[in-house]
Amino acid sequence: MEIYVAIDDTDSLEFGATGQSANELRRLIEDKGWGKSEAVTRHQLLLHPDIPYTSHNSSMCFKAVIGGDNLDEFITSAAKFLQETSAAGSDPGLCVAVKERIKNLEELLSFGYKAKVEILSKAEAYKTAEHCGLHLSEHGGTGLGIIGALAGIGLRITGNDGRFQGRIQLGNSGETIAVGEIIAQTEIDEVRSIDGQVLASDETLVIGEKIKSVLLEGKRILLVYREGGAWHSCNNKQLKNY
């Protein structure tokens, strides 16, 4: 079965990283032989003085394919992992969705988008999770992380939100590389300009300092921009809306 797993608020300014925790859950699936997982995406939520968050108020989500008999054991293990490893003072939340069991999909997607622009409550999160048939649970502190975890699921399912966690290694900053090489050497599906032009495999681009990819149309996309007659990989400022 295909599942989506999202977590939020597992870290503090001094300890841990939610992206690292999400990747540990991916490794748990692989190490136990329960199935295979895909890369983690980071989903930016609303930044507001009334919302407590560590640094960026973002949740982490990944897809996996696991055996149906392993679902309950995974959820139990994931909950235990969050309880034992999350930073002191954090408010971790866990959400797990089985794709074929999701109900009221539009409500789930709407919750994800609202979390980017509105202050939402735990009560709204639990109500939405129940309506949509998702597992949602809190594992320490106030449990406010359930809001971001549920939102992360909805946003990942859209296929049009989030940056993939981690950097892509293409070479040294300032070097050039062909698009075809990027596709062959990485998990990038497509290299595309910020205005929508898909680059051909023989075109080249200048490598930036930090290479990040984004989720668009269900694909892992490397976004680039044109400057000085050459293509350049986008920087964090240009990717802030993803």
Side-chain angles (χ1 to χ4, degrees):
M1 64 172 55
E2 187 173 308
I3 66 171
Y4 292 85
V5 181
I7 59 174
D8 190 23
D9 206 347
T10 68
D11 56 355
S12 67
L13 288 174
E14 296 80 22
F15 178 81
T18 301
Q20 179 180 336
S21 295
N23 278 303
E24 289 292 337
L25 292 180
R26 288 184 62 208
R27 279 188 283 274
L28 174 66
I29 290 174
E30 305 277 346
D31 291 346
K32 291 287 188 178
W34 291 337
K36 298 292 183 181
S37 63
E38 297 184 9
V40 174
T41 44
R42 171 193 179 277
H43 300 275
Q44 181 62 54
L45 308 178
L46 177 66
L47 296 174
H48 191 280
D50 293 335
I51 299 177
Y53 55 87
T54 305
S55 56
H56 301 294
N57 194 27
S58 57
S59 64
M60 301 288 171
C61 184
F62 65 90
K63 283 173 60 176
V65 176
I66 69 171
D69 293 341
N70 303 126
L71 177 64
D72 290 342
E73 189 174 4
F74 167 69
I75 291 175
T76 298
S77 298
K80 181 180 179 181
F81 171 80
L82 294 180
Q83 289 165 351
E84 293 179 348
T85 65
S86 295
S90 64
D91 308 306
L94 168 69
C95 190
V96 180
V98 177
K99 185 178 180 180
E100 63 188 25
R101 299 179 188 172
I102 296 174
K103 302 176 290 184
N104 303 309
L105 179 60
E106 290 304 317
E107 182 178 352
L108 175 60
L109 303 188
S110 176
F111 186 92
Y113 283 128
K114 285 196 293 184
K116 298 175 78 68
V117 295
E118 297 180 22
I119 298 175
L120 301 174
S121 68
K122 285 171 57 176
E124 291 174 281
Y126 277 125
K127 181 179 179 180
T128 301
E130 183 178 1
H131 284 180
C132 298
L134 280 61
H135 168 88
L136 187 64
S137 54
E138 50 190 271
H139 301 286
T142 66
L144 280 171
I146 64 167
I147 298 171
L150 179 61
I153 297 278
L155 293 169
R156 176 73 182 245
I157 288 176
T158 69
N160 282 298
D161 186 272
R163 299 185 210 174
F164 283 89
Q165 195 262 345
R167 302 179 188 179
I168 299 169
Q169 302 298 323
L170 294 178
N172 297 320
S173 177
E175 294 179 344
T176 60
I177 186 171
V179 169
E181 290 183 59
I182 295 172
I183 302 298
Q185 296 176 15
T186 71
E187 295 181 339
I188 297 294
D189 296 309
E190 187 175 281
V191 178
R192 184 187 301 183
S193 71
I194 53 178
D195 59 2
Q197 177 184 342
V198 178
L199 274 63
S201 60
D202 59 349
E203 295 193 75
T204 61
L205 64 90
V206 179
I207 299 170
E209 291 185 4
K210 297 179 181 180
I211 309 298
K212 292 278 190 177
S213 56
V214 301
L215 180 64
L216 289 175
E217 298 173 6
K219 301 176 182 178
R220 188 166 186 169
I221 305 294
L222 177 62
L223 289 177
V224 298
Y225 67 99
R226 192 81 171 172
E227 183 177 272
W231 292 109
H232 299 259
S233 58
C234 289
N235 56 39
N236 282 347
K237 184 176 181 181
Q238 291 165 312
L239 297 176
K240 67 178 181 180
N241 292 325
Y242 294 90

